[in-house]
């Protein structure tokens, strides 16, 4: 990476300060004080930043966050709200707090035994909002729930957890991957047997591109990772590489270059490329693609740390055009995915 470490460290500190600012309370996209996927992605990103940078203040903040908000985890259990639990295995390693381990194990047990699943056995994408997506499989789930399950398997070395994490990852790829392009559709409707609007949405692809190298790393030595996962991931990366814009970003619908470019999906894809190279799943040439993305994203970080160009929460939309109409505003997942990218670029 051509960007100096000091420059990246400065930007990362800005992102950190912006994410934890109390002025964001009550703002859906930036309120870190509730228990759901939005703050969860931000928290996962903070943990990675703290681990790589060695800044103890970040881990201290995360421990305070858990103690302040853990009662909220007792609410309704839905797949999309499991993201904060991805912190628990590493925080347990650091503190030895048995509650973290016990809560993580009981949550994983619920996921395996009671969480709604489709007829194929994939986790149904349930959300905290008052809306149902019966027997729908979304790419988001691999990051929001699969990553937690894999991290817990990496901690406990339990084959049942590792096998479940691997099964869910492969099921999602089999159901969502377009064999013609390697790209992923946003969702799959098991009842209707189709991909609904059949849109190759950037952030959906980012969730899985980012999650798979981490899942594989956690599962190594616990269960055997089949060649199918490596080949599917390589096909996904190749498809994404061919759809990257010249400036290093990706359009919110990957194969629609007339649509807006989207920051969070771009950051997640590029960060996944770096992680994929580091764990041996991708060729080193993918680092060049990630470097282009870093260059394109740095100007999108304002002086106060706010990241621009991030699209809001997005269900499976009825048409490709509808994805291009999603409102753009700052979010914790946008901040976080950019933070992860810059952390990996250090």
């Amino acid at each position: 990476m051509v960007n100096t470490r000091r420059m990246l460290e400065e930007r990362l500190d800005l992102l950190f300060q912006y994410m934890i600012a109390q002025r964001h309370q009550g703002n859906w996209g930036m309120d870190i004080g509730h228990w759901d996927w939005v703050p969860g992605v931000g928290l996962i990103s903070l943990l990675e930043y703290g681990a790589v940078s060695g800044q103890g203040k970040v881990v201290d903040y995360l421990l305070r966050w858990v103690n302040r908000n853990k009662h909220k985890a007792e609410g309704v259990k839905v797949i999309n709200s499991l993201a904060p639990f991805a912190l628990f295995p590493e925080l347990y390693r650091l503190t030895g707090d048995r509650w973290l381990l016990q809560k993580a194990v009981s949550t994983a047990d619920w996921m395996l035994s009671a969480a709604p699943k489709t007829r194929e056995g994939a986790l149904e994408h349930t959300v905290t909002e008052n809306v149902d997506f019966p027997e729908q499989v979304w790419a988001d789930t691999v990051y929001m729930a699969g990553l937690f399950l894999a991290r817990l398997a990496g901690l406990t070395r339990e084959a049942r957890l590792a096998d479940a994490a691997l099964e869910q990852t492969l099921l999602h790829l089999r159901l969502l991957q377009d064999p013609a392009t390697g790209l992923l559709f946003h969702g799959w409707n098991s009842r209707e047997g189709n991909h609904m609007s059949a849109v190759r949405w950037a952030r959906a692809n980012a969730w899985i591109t980012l999650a798979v190298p981490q899942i594989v790393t956690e599962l190594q030595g616990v269960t055997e990772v089949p060649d199918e996962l490596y080949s599917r991931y390589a096909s996904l990366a190749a498809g994404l590489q061919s759809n990257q814009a010249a400036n290093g970003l990706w359009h919110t619908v990957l194969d629609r270059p007339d649509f807006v470019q989207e920051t969070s999906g771009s950051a997640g894809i590029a960060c996944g490329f770096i992680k994929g190279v580091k764990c041996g799943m991708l060729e080193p040439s993918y680092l060049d693609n990630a470097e282009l993305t870093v260059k394109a994203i740095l100007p999108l970080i304002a002086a106060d740390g706010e990241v621009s160009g991030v699209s809001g929460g997005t269900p499976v939309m009825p048409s490709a055009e509808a994805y291009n109409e999603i409102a753009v505003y700052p979010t914790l997942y946008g901040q976080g995915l950019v933070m992860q990218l810059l952390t990996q670029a250090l």
Side-chain angles (χ1 to χ4, degrees), residues 173 176-184 205 232-233 235-240:
L173 281 166
L176 297 173
Q177 192 159 34
D178 175 13
T181 64
L183 301 175
L184 305 175
N205 282 259
R232 285 188 176 276
Y233 188 74
S235 177
L236 168 60
L240 290 167

Side-chain angles (χ1 to χ4, degrees), residues 89-305:
E90 182 59 24
L91 292 182
Y92 172 73
R93 287 190 183 97
L94 293 172
T95 65
D97 183 343
R98 294 291 298 177
W99 179 86
L100 292 166
L101 178 60
Q102 292 164 1
K103 187 61 180 175
V105 170
S106 66
T107 300
D109 287 342
W110 169 83
M111 189 192 307
L112 270 56
S113 63
K117 296 181 177 66
T118 69
R119 62 198 64 195
E120 301 93 352
L123 289 164
E124 181 181 296
H125 191 79
T126 52
V127 299
T128 54
E129 293 84 358
N130 187 27
V131 61
D132 294 321
F133 304 103
E135 282 209 83
Q136 287 190 18
V137 179
W138 292 15
D140 315 44
T141 297
V142 175
Y143 192 87
M144 305 308 165
L147 181 59
F148 154 64
L149 197 59
R151 287 184 174 181
L152 184 59
L155 172 69
T156 65
R157 317 302 288 174
E158 288 189 61
R160 71 182 184 99
L161 299 177
D163 290 343
L166 182 59
E167 177 188 28
Q168 287 300 320
T169 303
L170 277 169
L171 268 173
H172 279 73
L173 281 166
R174 289 167 183 162
L175 292 171
L176 297 173
Q177 192 159 34
D178 175 13
T181 64
L183 301 175
L184 305 175
F185 297 108
H186 188 176
W188 165 260
N189 189 315
S190 296
R191 288 183 178 179
E192 299 178 4
N194 62 38
H195 293 105
M196 296 171 278
S197 54
V199 173
R200 301 166 185 89
W201 180 47
R203 196 159 64 230
N205 282 259
W207 293 132
I208 290 185
T209 305
L210 184 55
V212 167
Q214 298 179 73
I215 290 170
V216 167
T217 299
E218 293 287 356
L219 300 186
Q220 286 176 343
V222 187
T223 192
E224 184 176 352
V225 179
D227 291 341
E228 180 188 356
L229 183 53
Y230 289 92
S231 62
R232 285 188 176 276
Y233 188 74
S235 177
L236 168 60
L240 290 167
Q241 187 181 50
S242 66
N243 280 275
Q244 187 178 28
N247 68 346
L249 300 178
W250 280 267
H251 297 271
T252 193
V253 174
L254 293 167
D255 51 359
R256 289 295 300 267
D258 54 323
F259 282 12
V260 66
Q261 293 181 334
E262 204 278 327
T263 307
S264 68
S266 298
I269 292 167
C271 188
F273 282 179
I274 299 174
K275 288 179 178 289
V277 171
K278 287 183 177 180
C279 78
M281 297 190 76
L282 296 178
E283 295 296 323
S285 61
Y286 282 91
L287 295 178
D288 296 334
N289 300 93
E291 184 171 351
L292 274 178
T293 309
V294 171
K295 289 179 180 178
I297 283 179
L298 283 173
L300 301 178
I301 305 172
D304 64 353

Side-chain angles (χ1 to χ4, degrees), residues 312-323:
T314 307
V316 178
M317 302 298 286
S319 67
E321 287 70 21
Y323 283 84

Side-chain angles (χ1 to χ4, degrees), residues 60-79:
D60 289 344
Y61 172 82
L62 293 172
L63 289 171
R64 292 195 303 272
W65 185 93
V66 170
N67 287 327
R68 185 169 62 247
N69 295 290
K70 62 184 181 182
H71 66 284
K72 300 175 185 177
E74 303 303 326
V76 61
K77 290 179 178 176
V78 297
I79 287 301

